[in-house]
Amino acid sequence: MTFLRILLFILAWLSTAALSAAPLVAVDVGHGIKDSGAISARGRPEFEFNRQLAGVLANALIDHGLAVREINFAGDIGSLAERPQQAVGSDFFIALHHDSVSERYLQFWEWDGRQASYTEVKRGFGIFVSAQNPDLATSLRCASTIGAVLRRAGFIPTPWHSRKHVPADAENGVWYYDNLVVLYRTTLPAVLFEAGVIKHREEELELLDPERQARMADALATGIAACLYVKEISVPE
């Protein structure tokens, strides 16, 4: 998605947002207390990263004129299928995650008196959509808009997913992942967002930085708001 298209999305959003009812965004915190997800290079569970970013994103969405439905912020949802069920009635669904890497790409170091694993080969964000989603067109449009705004804010998508996934918009970090339950067992347009790679030692620290979290959340909220407030837009040739 070109910067001109992003700019037109945002200008149109600003001109129409005040006249529209606030779209409702379901923000899902990936994993939970029992299934904490990946473990970072320094031994921190993924769920803690997901929950922290979700709180920042919820505030950013509200600041951008959107309403928020919190999904699994307490970490107590037992099944994947229950997440989209709780989102019914929302206008958009975003699942927040942080990424890892296959075991064969891990190295080992000593951290806090214990052996821990890390990687140096993968870092950056990724956005997933499912071709089985009932509103794939909106899912793709929102995913590309989010990715483009993130890139304009200085965040870099990882090309790593090309090893296993078909590109939907590789330039903006969007990939197909068709069998993700939270993306296809829903009535909503939906994306799954991997904020970065917590097994990468440097990126792990960046992902914990409050200022960076705020910038990323603002970019996510800007992309979502522009997509939801502006359904169609034509770009002059």
Side-chain angles (χ1 to χ4, degrees):
M1 179 172 287
T2 66
F3 179 62
L4 174 59
R5 182 176 287 273
I6 300 168
L7 181 60
L8 289 172
F9 263 122
I10 293 172
L11 289 175
W13 156 46
L14 290 172
S15 67
T16 60
L19 302 176
S20 306
L24 178 58
V25 179
V27 178
D28 173 45
V29 180
H31 297 287
I33 294 172
K34 292 183 178 180
D35 170 22
S36 59
I39 301 298
S40 76
R42 291 170 176 81
R44 183 174 181 170
E46 178 191 349
F47 173 67
E48 294 182 12
F49 288 84
N50 299 341
R51 181 164 55 181
Q52 189 170 12
L53 180 59
V56 182
L57 176 58
N59 291 332
L61 289 166
I62 293 169
D63 289 343
H64 283 69
L66 299 166
V68 175
R69 174 172 286 163
E70 297 181 354
I71 308 290
N72 196 43
F73 274 52
D76 56 358
I77 289 184
S79 71
L80 292 174
E82 187 178 346
R83 296 167 188 263
Q85 288 173 2
Q86 289 195 12
V88 170
S90 304
D91 296 290
F92 187 72
F93 180 95
I94 180 169
L96 295 180
H97 286 257
H98 288 72
D99 215 352
S100 185
V101 71
S102 299
E103 289 187 10
R104 59 180 170 148
Y105 297 108
L106 293 175
Q107 303 179 57
F108 295 91
W109 67 321
E110 186 173 304
W111 169 255
D112 198 24
R114 295 172 293 177
Q115 187 181 65
S117 58
Y118 70 95
T119 187
E120 294 181 343
V121 301
K122 178 185 178 185
R123 64 174 296 157
F125 76 83
I127 306 171
F128 292 105
V129 296
S130 172
Q132 300 179 50
N133 181 274
D135 191 351
L136 178 59
T138 303
S139 299
L140 286 170
R141 181 163 53 83
C142 287
S144 287
T145 304
I146 292 167
V149 176
L150 282 164
R151 288 177 57 234
R152 291 297 302 180
F155 298 101
I156 300 173
T158 178
W160 194 263
H161 301 301
S162 63
R163 296 165 178 255
K164 292 184 178 181
H165 299 283
V166 175
D169 178 6
E171 181 181 12
N172 291 314
V174 185
W175 306 86
Y176 285 107
Y177 198 155
D178 292 345
N179 62 348
L180 287 173
V181 171
V182 295
L183 298 186
Y184 77 83
R185 292 187 65 177
T186 179
T187 59
L188 312 174
V191 302
L192 186 146
F193 179 65
E194 298 274 10
V197 181
I198 56 176
K199 278 294 188 187
H200 191 286
R201 291 181 293 185
E202 287 74 23
E203 188 165 43
E204 176 191 9
L205 296 179
E206 293 169 8
L207 290 163
L208 289 170
D209 177 56
E211 188 276 334
R212 187 183 189 277
Q213 290 174 356
R215 286 196 301 111
M216 176 169 274
D218 181 73
L220 287 167
T222 299
I224 294 171
C227 177
L228 294 182
Y229 274 116
V230 184
K231 305 300 183 185
E232 290 284 344
I233 194 163
S234 59
V235 179
E237 295 296 335

